[in-house]
């Protein structure tokens, strides 16, 4: 079963590598560099204004650590067909799940490394600690995550749901005690507590039943993969994601504003897809709300401009694939509509949506920035960026897509 898991893992990693080429592209790297640099500078300036020691900072750090700990699920890599074809191998699945547990520790380690690294300056300010304590904090967090994944593995067996619920409270209490002790007492004490809880959940808590809950295990793995595919879908099309059309009758007035003329064929089709399809409409709403939420907590003009332009770019970039939505529909080829109408329609749709988001971001900046005229500058900056996106980037991108 170890070899079987290794083979399945290789296929999974090969598929993920193919998708991640589209995620970590040049645009993503450039935007991430500016965003991380800007937030890092803002973070460093904020730390300079904090008193030393800063007791409230410890609570903030503990809250951040407890928030990131549940991130990352047990990757069993099981498939719906396993319910039939692997049922005869159920007695050997323990070694398979042990391999899955070891593999599932690596991705959370990267997340925990970044989270602990990002909060270390605040820890130094809060507890008069030093950066030499970083390995203790990282080891503590990794061992706490090991306990969490061990509980997820136990849940895969039948009649263990109530047992896991009870042990989950113990895990949370130990995680809270370890993080508080590491901040307010000594880093080594938090590490010791995390070692004890890891030993307990690995060897002290075991399932009394030997039968696997195959339905739950497969459903949990499909849900985990779906979350990954939804993230990748922000950058490229993913065949594993299927969306259902929803009526949304309350938005029909937008469709009614389009005149029933041949020149508006693709404009109507694209707007209808945005309104009634969950992919593009949901993506637009989520990115707009997230961008507005982030801007609400920023009171620096240039950082607001950077974040707002970043989200405007993400919204426009993710809506570009809308132009290919109806290329396999037979009627769009039979109906005498010129091909150039697609580019004009997609430009109008994206332009309208970016204009709405620009106004939304501008209002938030006017409310949050120290001076109203700074909000006006931010609004003008967002408007100019949207114009450059529509006038320069979008035509070049569409030309490259159809080259």
């Amino acid at each position: 079963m170890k070899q079987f898991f290794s083979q399945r893992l290789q296929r999974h990693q090969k598929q993920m590598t193919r998708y991640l080429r589209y995620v970590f592209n040049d645009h993503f790297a450039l935007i991430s560099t500016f965003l991380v640099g800007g937030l890092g500078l803002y973070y460093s300036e904020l730390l300079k204004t904090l008193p030393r020691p800063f007791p409230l900072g410890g609570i903030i750090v503990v809250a951040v650590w407890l928030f990131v700990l549940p991130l990352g699920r047990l990757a069993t890599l099981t498939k719906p067909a396993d319910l039939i074809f692997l049922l005869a191998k159920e007695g050997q699945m323990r070694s398979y799940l042990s391999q899955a547990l070891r593999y599932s520790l690596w991705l959370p380690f990267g997340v925990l490394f970044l989270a602990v690294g990002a909060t270390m300056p605040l820890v130094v300010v809060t507890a008069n600690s030093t950066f030499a304590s970083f390995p203790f904090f990282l080891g503590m967090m990794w061992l706490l995550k090991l306990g969490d994944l061990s509980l997820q593995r136990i849940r895969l067996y039948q009649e263990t749901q109530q047992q896991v619920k009870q042990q989950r409270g113990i895990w949370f209490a130990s995680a809270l005690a370890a993080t508080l002790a590491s901040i307010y007492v000594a880093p080594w004490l938090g590490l010791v507590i995390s070692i004890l809880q890891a030993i307990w959940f690995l060897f002290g808590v075991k399932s009394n039943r030997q039968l696997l809950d195959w339905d739950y295990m497969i459903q949990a793995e499909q849900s985990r993969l779906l979350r990954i595919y939804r993230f990748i879908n922000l950058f490229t099309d993913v065949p594993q994601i299927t969306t259902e059309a929803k009526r949304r009758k309350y938005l029909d007035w937008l469709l009614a504003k389009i005149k029933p003329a041949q020149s508006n064929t693709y404009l109507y089709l694209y707007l209808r897809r945005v309104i009634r399809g969950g992919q593009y409409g949901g993506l637009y709403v989520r990115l707009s709300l997230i961008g507005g939420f982030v801007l609400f907590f920023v009171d620096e003009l240039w950082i607001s401009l950077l974040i707002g332009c970043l989200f405007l770019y993400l919204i426009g970039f993710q809506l570009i694939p809308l132009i290919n939505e109806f290329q396999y529909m037979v009627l769009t080829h039979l109906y005498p509509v010129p091909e150039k109408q697609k580019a004009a329609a997609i430009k109008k749709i994206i332009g309208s949506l970016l204009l709405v988001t620009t106004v939304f971001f501008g209002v938030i900046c006017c409310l949050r920035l120290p001076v109203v005229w700074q909000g006006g500058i931010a609004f003008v900056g967002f408007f100019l960026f949207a114009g450059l996106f529509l006038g320069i980037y979008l035509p070049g991108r569409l030309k490259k897509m159809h080259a």
Side-chain angles (χ1 to χ4, degrees):
M1 294 303 289
K2 292 182 179 180
Q3 183 179 1
F4 175 70
F5 179 83
S6 298
Q7 293 174 351
R8 182 165 283 185
L9 178 60
Q10 289 178 0
R11 291 195 295 267
H12 173 73
Q13 290 177 334
K14 184 178 180 180
Q15 183 184 37
M16 290 295 106
T17 302
R18 186 170 65 250
Y19 284 133
L20 291 179
R21 288 184 306 170
Y22 300 100
V23 176
F24 298 103
N25 50 30
D26 295 338
H27 298 92
F28 183 86
L30 181 63
I31 292 174
S32 298
T33 301
F34 279 104
L35 182 61
V36 172
L39 292 178
L41 180 60
Y42 179 75
Y43 183 37
S44 64
E45 293 296 327
L46 178 63
L47 290 175
K48 294 178 182 178
T49 64
L50 298 178
R52 296 186 182 224
F54 180 54
L56 183 60
I59 304 299
I60 297 175
V61 171
V62 170
V64 172
W65 287 356
L66 292 179
F67 175 79
V68 300
L69 269 176
L71 300 179
R73 313 301 297 173
L74 181 65
T76 61
L77 304 182
T78 50
K79 300 181 179 180
D82 294 343
L83 181 60
I84 299 174
F85 295 102
L86 287 186
L87 191 60
K89 296 287 186 178
E90 185 167 356
Q92 304 176 29
M93 285 296 291
R94 287 191 177 273
S95 61
Y96 178 95
L97 294 177
S98 296
Q99 290 285 102
L101 178 62
R102 283 192 285 270
Y103 166 70
S104 302
L105 274 172
W106 287 108
L107 183 59
F109 179 79
V111 176
L112 296 175
F113 182 89
L114 295 175
V116 175
T119 53
M120 273 304 298
L122 187 56
V123 173
V124 173
V125 173
T126 297
N128 287 327
S129 183
T130 64
F131 286 96
S133 303
F134 177 79
F136 292 95
F137 295 130
L138 182 60
M140 174 196 67
M141 294 289 285
W142 201 27
L143 289 168
L144 290 173
K145 187 59 187 178
L146 176 59
D148 176 48
L149 292 174
S150 300
L151 279 178
Q152 294 183 38
R153 182 176 59 173
I154 295 173
R155 176 63 184 88
L156 300 179
Y157 290 88
Q158 295 183 17
E159 300 183 15
T160 57
Q161 182 176 2
Q162 188 63 31
Q163 179 187 12
V164 170
K165 284 184 178 180
Q166 295 173 354
Q167 296 297 327
R168 180 62 66 180
I170 298 176
W171 176 84
F172 180 78
S174 61
L176 181 61
T179 51
L180 288 174
S182 65
I183 295 294
Y184 291 105
V185 183
W188 63 265
L189 181 58
L191 182 61
V192 170
I193 296 175
S194 65
I195 292 174
L196 294 177
Q197 69 84 34
I199 295 174
W200 168 252
F201 289 114
L202 277 175
F203 305 106
V205 182
K206 295 183 179 180
S207 57
N208 298 324
R209 299 285 180 174
Q210 301 296 322
L211 299 178
L212 284 168
D213 190 344
W214 286 92
D215 290 330
Y216 173 80
M217 180 168 59
I218 293 171
Q219 181 183 4
E221 177 62 16
Q222 296 302 308
S223 299
R224 186 188 73 87
L225 289 175
L226 182 60
R227 287 191 289 269
I228 297 176
Y229 290 142
R230 282 176 176 170
F231 170 74
I232 298 174
N233 193 49
L234 296 175
F235 303 88
T236 185
D237 294 332
V238 180
Q240 287 83 354
I241 293 182
T242 58
T243 57
E244 297 181 357
K246 296 184 179 179
R247 181 67 176 85
R248 295 192 175 97
K249 189 176 180 179
Y250 55 90
L251 294 177
D252 283 350
W253 62 274
L254 293 173
L255 294 172
K257 289 185 173 296
I258 300 178
K259 296 181 180 180
Q262 182 181 9
S263 58
N264 294 329
T265 300
Y266 277 104
L267 180 62
Y268 179 85
L269 289 175
Y270 290 149
L271 182 59
R272 186 183 180 95
R273 177 55 60 92
V274 171
I275 291 176
R276 298 186 177 178
Q279 181 179 356
Y280 296 101
L283 178 69
Y284 170 73
V285 172
R286 286 194 298 271
L287 288 176
S288 298
L289 292 179
I290 293 173
F293 179 79
V294 175
L295 286 174
F296 186 79
F297 292 96
V298 176
D299 56 2
E300 292 287 341
L301 175 59
W302 68 273
I303 297 180
S304 297
L305 280 170
L306 179 64
I307 294 175
C309 291
L310 169 64
F311 277 94
L312 287 173
Y313 170 80
L314 289 176
I315 292 172
F317 181 78
Q318 302 305 327
L319 291 175
I320 292 176
L322 181 64
I323 196 172
N324 295 323
E325 279 295 304
F326 300 97
Q327 62 179 342
Y328 298 113
M329 182 180 290
V330 178
L331 291 178
T332 58
H333 295 279
L334 295 177
Y335 196 68
V337 179
E339 189 72 14
K340 62 181 181 180
Q341 189 186 120
K342 288 185 178 181
I346 200 69
K347 184 177 181 180
K348 192 170 184 178
I349 291 291
I350 295 178
S352 300
L353 293 176
L354 289 183
L355 178 60
V356 174
T357 307
T358 296
V359 174
F360 176 58
F361 286 175
V363 171
I364 293 178
C365 289
C366 289
L367 295 175
R368 290 298 300 164
L369 292 178
V371 187
V372 177
W373 63 264
Q374 291 185 351
I377 293 177
F379 175 77
V380 173
F382 298 153
F383 185 80
L384 291 176
F385 179 84
L388 292 174
F389 182 90
L390 295 171
I392 299 177
Y393 180 81
L394 182 59
R397 183 70 179 178
L398 294 178
K399 184 178 180 180
K400 184 178 179 180
M401 290 175 60
H402 296 90

